[in-house]
Amino acid sequence: MSKQQEKRLNIINKTITLCAQNGFHGTSMDSITTAAGVSKATIYKYFISKENLIKEALSIFSDRAINYLDNIISNPTLTLEQKLSERFEMLTILMKDDLFNGCYFQLAYSEFNHTDDNIADICSGYKKTRVNMIHTLLNENDINNAELKSQQAELIFNGLLATLQVTKNIKLIPMAKNMYLNVIFANNKYY
């Protein structure tokens, strides 16, 4: 990776962190420049606007999150239940390490859904991709009503993310995980 690519990625990573902590509108370009250790001119060299920077940051974070989920789903050593449970385990770790500040995509969508279609599209696209990935996984494992169950289960996961952002109550994670698994395995021979 070139020095310019490293600098650009550093700006994006700092933006994601700050926006998760302060909200997208609550994160100023000044705070991004301070955190990234660069000037505003440097940021504007790579990104034409704050919204463009946020769009790029969300796009990269979306790719990372989808790749993470894909790695879990495609892991042949895990059972279906383990694959479905892994995100809850990771969420538990993030909460214990105080690294969870909510779902970036829910936050960005709520702040930009009426003002920036590109950002809103990245957020809704991420959520749709996640539901589709779970749907495909359930189909591959002969789960009845896979489409409906993937939507219901992801609704539970999204609700957990939103609730944890407000309450920081780690005890909700196993409760939501059980609800998630119960929705998926209801009326199936595997559970």
Side-chain angles (χ1 to χ4, degrees), residues 124-179:
S124 60
Y126 167 74
K127 296 290 185 172
K128 288 176 188 173
T129 299
R130 210 175 68 195
V131 170
N132 290 338
M133 291 173 77
I134 298 300
H135 177 208
T136 300
L137 176 65
L138 298 183
N139 267 339
E140 290 170 351
N141 285 274
D142 299 322
I143 299 295
N144 300 329
N145 300 314
E147 183 176 10
L148 176 63
K149 288 181 178 184
S150 63
Q151 292 171 352
Q152 291 171 328
E154 286 301 292
L155 183 62
I156 292 166
F157 192 78
N158 286 330
L160 173 64
L161 294 177
T163 303
L164 287 175
Q165 182 177 356
V166 174
T167 67
K168 305 287 187 197
N169 184 352
I170 197 168
K171 293 178 184 177
L172 297 175
I173 297 172
M175 181 189 316
K177 176 183 161 186
N178 286 336
M179 292 167 61

Side-chain angles (χ1 to χ4, degrees), residues 53-134:
L53 170 56
I54 289 170
K55 181 180 72 107
E56 295 270 339
L58 286 168
S59 182
I60 287 173
F61 191 74
S62 173
D63 291 345
R64 288 178 189 167
I66 295 301
N67 286 336
Y68 170 76
L69 184 56
D70 188 51
N71 286 335
I72 293 168
I73 288 173
S74 62
N75 186 338
T77 66
L78 298 176
T79 66
L80 176 59
E81 184 176 345
Q82 290 170 325
K83 290 175 183 184
L84 295 169
S85 299
E86 181 61 30
R87 288 187 299 158
F88 293 93
E89 306 310 319
M90 180 54 69
L91 197 51
T92 301
I93 293 167
L94 292 174
M95 289 293 294
K96 285 181 181 176
D97 293 341
D98 200 28
L99 297 173
F100 178 78
N101 294 306
C103 177
Y104 302 131
F105 302 100
Q106 289 173 347
L107 179 60
Y109 188 84
S110 70
E111 291 190 35
F112 289 101
N113 70 335
H114 296 294
T115 60
D116 192 307
D117 291 341
N118 291 324
I119 292 174
D121 289 347
I122 291 169
C123 298
S124 60
Y126 167 74
K127 296 290 185 172
K128 288 176 188 173
T129 299
R130 210 175 68 195
V131 170
N132 290 338
M133 291 173 77
I134 298 300

